[in-house]
Amino acid sequence: MASLSTNPSKKAIRSPGGSSGSQVNLKAEEQYVSNSLFTGGFNSVTRAHLMDKVIDSEVTHPQMAGAKGSACSMPACDGKVMKDERGADVIPCDCRFKICRDCFLDAQKESGLCPGCKEPYKLGEYDDDGQDFSSGALPLPAPDSLLVLIRFVVLGFFLAWRLRHPNEEAVWLWFMSVVCEVWFGFSWILDQVPKLCPINRSTDLDVLRDKFEMPSPSNPTGRSDFPGADMFVSTADPEKEPPLVTANTILSILAVDYPVEKLACYVSDDGGALLTFEAMAEAASFADLWVPFCRKHNIEPRNPESYFSMKGDPTKNKSRSDFVKDRRRTKREYDEFKVRINGLPDSIRRRSEAFNAREEMKMYKHMKESGADPSEPLKVQKATWMADGTHWPGAWTVPAAEHSKGDHAGILQVMLKPPSNDPLMGGADDKILDFTDVDIRLPMFVYVSREKRPGYDHNKKAGAMNALVRASAILSNGPFILNLDCDHYIFNCKAVREGMCFMMDRGGENICYIQFPQRFEGIDPSDRYANHNTVFFDGNMRALDGVQPDKIAQKANSELKPSDFDPDLDMNLLPKRFGNSTMLAESIPIAEFQGRPLADHPAVKYGRPPGALRVPREPLDAATVAEAVSVISCWYEDKTEWGDRVGWIYGSVTEDVVTGYRMHNRGWHSVYCVTKRDAFRGSAPINLTDRLHQVLRWATGSVEIFFSRNNALVASSRLKLLQRLAYLNVGIYPFTSIFLILYCFLPALSLFSGHFIVQNLNATFLIYLLTITLCLIGLAILEVKWSGVALEEWWRNEQFWLISGTSAHLAAVLQGLLKVIAGIEISFTLTSKSAGDDNDDIYADLYLVKWTSLMIPPIVIAMVNIIAIGVAFSRTIYSKVPEWSKLIGGAFFSFWVLAHLYPFAKGLMGRRGKTPTIVFVWSGLIAITLSLLWIAVNPPKGTSTEVGGSTFQFP
């Protein structure tokens, strides 16, 4: 192991306790096979399946094809009022004088006076620095393994005591509670044991740059020796995933700080929508201005929507004198870009109506000339038309045969051609801005919509990703892939370099993928439904990074052979495994070779020689594009191993988890990378219904994993014990919902029956309970301090654990059982990214109450517990011998349940007048029915007491 000064990825620092986790975006090699499957692109545009030609059109950039240039610049500023990150107007003066950001900055620099009241501005500068998630050494050791051991021992004694001391007065209540407690203890062990070896990692980008990009005797020109990286962005429905959001994500990728000639971006439109296609063409056009602007002024973040909506002084750390002018012009162009994007639906509709009317007139004229009966209705298909006057080969607005979401031709359009290997410097007169001494090249960009036909299982998102893998292997063949959702953008332009620190370091040949934590914007300040998932991303996932073995097995041979990566791989059987594309098969060893670390140290047994990747990329030709079209056809995967041993694995709605498991099960390693500046940011559903459906999808995927051959119980010996336990927990955690719902009803049953889970609240029970609770609190505090999670975030996570456990997780278990037993397939709808009806409130969607059956169990639990508290309190008050201990015990646990359900109840309230009456009617009826049923089955025994004209019977 070399010293930290020579390795771009520093040695991991371990701690004897803590927490962390697993699941995110950047991925790099699954096995020898997957190395070649990493692809990407962005540059010239082609359309295919029945058509093998490249679409030619007017261009404005040396790489552009298929998109027109930006509009001319305007002489004066027409900027809009400043916005904060919530989208609300920012009025910087007490006089409420509205002003745009650029004019505000000009006023501050010239006089410091408000143009409205002529008084000095009183507000200070905003700070635009994002939250700092440190990736350095652990801030403090996390010695909670001792607490884990103490709680484990106490839990064992407690359960033993509970088994030996049943409640003879209510054996049924005692038995149900013990069963639940045993399961909770087992589930807690599965969750805690893999967290005993947390690990933090850090990188050194300067070392990486010196090693791969600085001039040297072997590289006098300083040409980059980085491997290629292909960026994948997936979208499926432009109505629920706005094209403007996808376009901003694409722009952040095109402007990433990575060698342009090594980068390629691919967008997968699984809906085959012309709206998405034309929005991507607009994004490629605007990139001609946006990307060089980012490079010239070192803009961060490089998502234009996020950048222009940030509060703070935009001139901070900017040294060029023309920055303000450039920014103002770019902002005007971006506003026009947004207008064009938002106007595309209406533009496509009007264009299609005009072309359809023309076709109708032609047909009417033909009927008239042929002497046909003019009274017969004309049968003209309501087609969707492209700007060049041809039918869109994808899905039409009015679905028709061979033109619907599940039935359309494959489309592949290269919107930005592969750039030249040498920098292309701009000038002072060829652009809106002066880009003298600025590299104006753009990365390759490709639009892909795979072919879909009825009768084929298209395997949802996993199938779309595999189509991208095959197309990119032929077009760009980058050895590494970055996988992003359409609403997650690159917040840190050096994020790809951060990942390369691990891939290109010694031992990187054994790393299959790198995970980054997901960070979210637009979440309500209180994070009512734990949407940030900080406990998971900063606690659980970081801890799970440490369950892998310290030592990475070294290969004995100095030359790497295919069998070193996959013992079952026979080069002669590549067509059977990968399909009949010769280009695809030939790309596999090339990508594997390019993905190796540099052979610049004796410890690197098999690496690539320095300088091997400085060879210019060959330009695309018609045959290559045609081959890429053929591999996205719906029949290409027939009788191959795609989705089984190659690419993203099929059979689960959580394809990323299954694929990660398969890679780990084959002996590969992964890395969890937390960067100082967030690598990626995106959006998350803040509405209660959408949040529950999101959790339902994740939990259903876990149930599918549990009932499949991807269960960790049948894993190979290459999966280590702690890894096995972690993956076992992934498949088991939804089943906790069965016991959790039962346990949430136990307090109410206790209050109704007048009994408790123990016969007497004696000192032994209370001491055990107190010790377990204190250990749990201690573990939570240490975990919070180690991971940097706030206590409020931890509590929100606990609350939503109960909310989701009593709703979405239970539904996931039922759906999984239906699929296994009855073969009923599970279908999910995309979560809408649009906000609520109130455009002035960025959190309007938070208050929407959309009915779903997932709400029934938590509502019933809450109402039954409230009714039980009232019944038990009344009975105790009027009882001859009040048993306050049982009332207090049952009421305490009922309040525990209700406290966890508080965010759920708050979400049901919505805003005044917006809560559906059906929610309360049905829930109230169910709760009251259950309460009366219990009283009828087990009526209280004792004397009768008349109160207020009503007769009560008490024990």
Side-chain angles (χ1 to χ4, degrees), residues 208 212-213 224-231 253-264 295 302 439 441 443 479-480 493-500 504 608 613:
L208 185 76
F212 288 90
E213 293 184 305
S224 173
D225 202 16
F226 275 124
D230 293 341
M231 314 294 190
I253 293 174
L254 297 181
V256 73
D257 183 5
Y258 199 75
V260 183
E261 68 276 9
K262 308 284 187 176
L263 199 64
R295 291 175 186 155
R302 299 189 176 184
D439 188 357
R441 292 178 300 163
F480 300 106
C493 68
K494 298 184 183 297
V496 181
R497 293 176 179 266
E498 298 267 4
M500 287 300 169
M504 294 294 101
R608 58 180 170 88
L613 301 187

Side-chain angles (χ1 to χ4, degrees), residues 544-607:
L544 293 183
D545 192 12
V547 303
Q548 302 173 93
D550 285 330
K551 295 182 179 180
I552 299 176
Q554 298 292 335
K555 308 293 188 299
N557 299 329
S558 59
E559 182 179 355
L560 183 66
K561 302 187 297 294
S563 59
D564 290 328
F565 282 88
D566 187 350
D568 301 326
L569 182 62
D570 185 346
M571 296 298 289
N572 297 322
L573 298 179
L574 287 183
K576 179 180 179 181
R577 173 167 289 188
F578 299 102
N580 59 6
S581 171
T582 303
M583 287 187 181
L584 178 62
E586 292 175 348
S587 72
I588 295 172
I590 295 175
E592 183 279 313
F593 173 80
Q594 293 181 352
R596 300 182 191 179
L598 290 181
D600 59 349
H601 192 277
V604 181
K605 298 297 183 182
Y606 48 92

Side-chain angles (χ1 to χ4, degrees), residues 861-936:
I861 289 173
M863 299 193 80
V864 167
N865 274 277
I866 292 172
I867 294 173
I869 292 174
V871 170
F873 182 77
S874 300
R875 183 179 57 208
T876 304
I877 287 290
Y878 294 104
S879 178
K880 292 182 178 179
V881 184
E883 296 186 77
W884 291 102
S885 62
K886 294 182 178 180
L887 172 64
I888 293 173
F892 173 80
F893 283 105
S894 284
F895 279 119
W896 177 85
V897 173
L898 295 174
H900 281 75
L901 289 175
Y902 173 73
F904 176 84
K906 196 173 181 180
L908 283 182
M909 296 300 104
R911 283 178 173 171
R912 185 174 300 177
K914 288 192 176 183
T915 305
T917 306
I918 189 67
V919 171
F920 299 106
V921 171
W922 279 106
S923 303
L925 288 174
I926 294 174
I928 293 173
T929 301
L930 290 176
S931 303
L932 294 176
L933 180 63
W934 171 259
I935 294 175

Side-chain angles (χ1 to χ4, degrees), residues 33 68 75 98 101 163 195 222 250 336 425 441 489 581 670 763 871 903 930 939:
V33 170
K68 296 183 178 180
K98 295 183 177 181
R101 186 182 302 276
L163 290 170
K195 297 181 182 179
I250 294 298
E336 293 182 5
M425 298 302 175
R441 292 178 300 163
Y489 67 93
S581 171
S670 62
V871 170
L930 290 176

Side-chain angles (χ1 to χ4, degrees), residues 86 239-242 245 522 683-687 690 831-848 850 914:
R86 302 181 185 179
E239 294 182 0
K240 295 185 177 181
E241 298 171 329
V245 175
S683 62
I686 61 174
N687 176 268
D690 292 338
T831 301
S832 176
K833 306 297 189 301
S834 59
D837 298 331
D838 189 356
N839 294 326
D840 296 330
D841 186 358
I842 192 174
Y843 305 124
D845 195 49
L846 176 68
Y847 309 107
L848 295 179
K850 297 181 282 187
K914 288 192 176 183

